[in-house]
C-alpha cells in the first residue's frame, strides 16, 4: 500500500513540470543561430552564418552571411533573399551580412562550376 504522501508528491511533480513547460514556451527563442557547414561540392565548401544582430520591437532579428572555406576560383557563392540574388561572388571572402527579419527569406548557396554540385543552406 502506498503512503498518502505519494499522490501529493506526484501532483506537485506534475504541476512543477507544467509550470516549467509554460515558462519555457513563453520565452522568445531563435529558430537557428550559429555557424553551419554547408554540404560540400567536389571543389567548394562554405559556412552559413546566422546571428541575431538587430533588436527592435522587443525582439532580435537575424542576419545571415556565407563564408567560403574552400574554393578553387570556380566556386560561386550566393546569398538569396525572397528569390532574388543579393550577393554573388567567386572570391574566398565572407559576404556582407544580410537582414533576415520579417518580410525577408534569406538562404545561401554554393555552385561548383567545375564539378557537379549545388549546395543550399537552410532557411531560418
Amino acid at each position: 500500500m502506498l503512503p498518502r504522501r505519494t499522490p501529493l508528491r506526484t501532483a506537485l511533480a506534475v504541476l512543477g513540470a507544467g509550470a516549467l513547460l509554460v515558462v519555457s514556451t513563453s520565452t522568445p527563442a531563435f529558430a537557428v543561430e550559429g555557424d553551419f557547414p554547408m554540404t560540400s561540392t567536389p571543389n567548394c565548401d562554405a559556412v552559413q552564418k546566422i546571428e541575431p544582430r538587430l533588436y527592435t520591437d522587443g525582439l532580435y532579428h537575424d542576419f545571415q552571411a556565407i563564408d567560403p572555406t574552400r574554393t578553387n576560383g570556380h566556386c560561386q557563392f550566393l546569398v538569396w533573399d525572397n528569390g532574388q540574388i543579393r550577393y554573388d561572388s567567386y572570391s574566398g571572402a565572407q559576404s556582407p551580412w544580410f537582414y533576415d527579419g520579417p518580410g525577408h527569406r534569406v538562404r545561401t548557396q554554393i555552385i561548383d562550376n567545375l564539378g557537379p554540385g549545388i549546395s543550399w543552406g537552410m532557411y531560418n
Side-chain angles (χ1 to χ4, degrees), residues 95-115:
S95 74
W97 289 91
F98 293 94
Y99 178 69
D100 189 18
H104 294 266
R105 192 150 165 84
V106 176
R107 192 173 187 192
T108 56
Q109 182 184 30
I110 301 170
I111 299 174
D112 185 340
N113 289 303
L114 284 183

